[in-house]
Amino acid sequence: MTDFLDIHKTSKTDLRAILTQAADMKEARKGLPKGTPDAGEPLKNQMVALIFEKPSTRTRVSFDVGVRQMGGQTMVLSGSDMQLGHGETIADTARVLSRYVDLIMIRTFEEQTLLEMAEYATVPVINGLTDRTHPCQIMADILTFEEHRGPIAGKKVVWSGDGNNVFASFAHAAGQFGFDLTFTGPEPLDPEPALDGLYNIERDPQKAVQGADLVVTDTWVSMHDPQSARERRHNQLRGYQVNDELMANAKSDSLFMHCLPAHRDDEATSAVMDGPHSVIFDEAENRLHAQKAIMRHCLGL
Ligand code: CP
């Protein structure tokens, strides 16, 4: 039994094994209708709780579908509908859920909530996003990059925009998978200091993307940012929009990623999102395949 809490908390060997299994399972499903169970139904008789304290489309649907394809069952729980949202402690919630389900995935605000859930649960816990990190997304992103361009080790990845929770998981992945990560964004939105040493900074986005194999961005106002900050952030980040001019300075075969949901023509133009470099919908699909392998890893199945 193993938690999947963050990319830097999982060994390099296990991360690589997860990606290999994800690719194998994806390949084995080729040509099958989406609802068809995977051979052997590895999660048969397993019950998975999916807890959401924040909105979600991709994480919710891809985990739910993934469990069902593997023969297991899910219950999707909204934090506000649970006693968790009305004063019951995380520790008590974790102990109780562990009596009913075999695996817990939680999307929450504070990282501390995730860590307490993992500490007190006696079943594996998966991080479905916190204000600090989003490891399942980045496992899907690496699967996507390697499908298109081969091993990511030694490649140049450039993040343009806000140094947010998705960037943090890219930084952890740079350390584990051995790629070069450059952050380009305004100083007030720099990544948290705990990530220092895992990436380089280049304030000029046009210079930053030179030689890039992959250009990534994300929404300028994350779910945990106050909406009152919207105008200020747009002013700070406008110069870091990923558009055709920026992509023209990257390698000619560079890829473009965005974890979605996007605000089209803010952080990235529709021309880039729908253009020849973009693999955004492959990323979204690969959430399904990567997370299926993560769940099998956690359950030892
Ligand atoms: N990328 C991502 O996590 O999407 P959702 O917020 O829709 O789950």
Side-chain angles (χ1 to χ4, degrees):
M1 193 194 92
T2 316
D3 297 322
F4 187 77
L5 300 181
D6 267 321
I7 287 181
H8 63 303
K9 294 178 181 171
T10 302
S11 73
K12 291 177 189 175
T13 307
D14 285 348
L15 292 170
R16 182 49 65 191
I18 289 168
L19 289 182
T20 301
Q21 182 159 62
D24 289 348
M25 290 184 78
K26 180 174 181 177
E27 179 65 25
R29 286 198 66 79
K30 275 225 170 95
L32 290 180
K34 294 182 180 69
T36 310
D38 289 316
E41 297 186 68
L43 259 63
K44 198 173 174 65
N45 302 324
Q46 303 285 319
M47 178 63 76
V48 180
L50 305 173
I51 304 173
F52 289 91
E53 295 196 292
K54 295 184 181 191
S56 169
T57 297
R58 279 143 290 271
T59 306
R60 177 178 172 148
V61 178
S62 57
F63 265 105
D64 200 342
V65 169
V67 173
R68 290 165 193 244
Q69 286 183 349
M70 294 194 291
Q73 297 182 61
T74 59
M75 56 182 64
V76 181
L77 303 161
S78 141
S80 58
D81 291 341
M82 298 170 70
Q83 299 293 7
L84 182 62
H86 299 277
E88 186 167 23
T89 67
I90 300 156
D92 287 350
T93 305
R95 291 178 179 119
V96 169
L97 289 181
S98 299
R99 302 289 179 107
Y100 302 137
V101 304
D102 301 286
L103 177 65
I104 299 169
M105 190 289 306
I106 181 166
R107 165 169 287 197
T108 187
F109 295 88
E110 301 287 330
E111 182 181 51
Q112 193 53 33
T113 304
L114 169 79
L115 298 179
E116 275 185 55
M117 187 68 81
E119 182 179 351
Y120 290 98
T122 55
V123 299
V125 173
I126 295 175
N127 177 357
L129 178 143
T130 71
D131 292 352
R132 284 191 84 179
T133 58
H134 196 1
C136 291
Q137 178 67 54
I138 276 41
M139 290 297 281
D141 291 355
I142 291 169
L143 180 62
T144 306
F145 182 90
E146 295 195 337
E147 276 178 354
H148 286 269
R149 295 287 182 265
I152 198 165
K155 300 291 187 189
K156 179 175 179 181
V157 177
V158 177
W159 177 279
S160 184
D162 180 21
N164 66 9
N165 51 351
V166 183
F167 175 84
S169 287
F170 254 113
H172 293 148
Q176 296 287 65
F177 289 97
F179 58 86
D180 175 87
L181 179 64
T182 297
F183 170 80
T184 184
E187 195 172 342
L189 300 180
D190 273 353
E192 61 169 304
L195 301 171
D196 287 357
L198 292 171
Y199 66 95
N200 313 302
I201 293 187
E202 169 53 64
R203 297 281 172 217
D204 180 343
Q206 305 294 343
K207 280 190 195 158
V209 298
Q210 283 170 17
D213 298 284
L214 169 64
V215 178
V216 193
T217 191
D218 194 8
T219 182
W220 286 345
V221 186
S222 293
M223 283 186 274
H224 54 272
D225 293 321
Q227 282 304 311
S228 57
R230 188 178 180 280
E231 190 177 338
R232 176 169 40 81
R233 283 175 158 265
H234 276 234
N235 288 334
Q236 289 170 318
L237 287 160
R238 197 159 287 125
Y240 295 92
Q241 182 191 65
V242 181
N243 49 36
D244 284 336
E245 185 193 352
L246 192 70
M247 290 305 295
N249 278 331
K251 275 189 179 167
S252 57
D253 67 345
S254 61
L255 298 178
F256 168 73
M257 289 191 189
H258 188 310
C259 68
L260 305 178
H263 294 83
R264 283 174 174 261
D265 301 313
D266 283 347
E267 67 268 16
T269 60
S270 282
V272 169
M273 292 182 67
D274 300 327
H277 300 279
S278 177
V279 289
I280 58 176
F281 298 112
D282 292 343
E283 280 182 89
E285 177 186 339
N286 281 338
R287 293 293 303 276
L288 172 67
H289 307 295
Q291 289 160 188
K292 285 167 71 175
I294 289 169
M295 288 189 276
R296 291 186 70 171
H297 164 74
C298 290
L299 290 164
L301 294 169

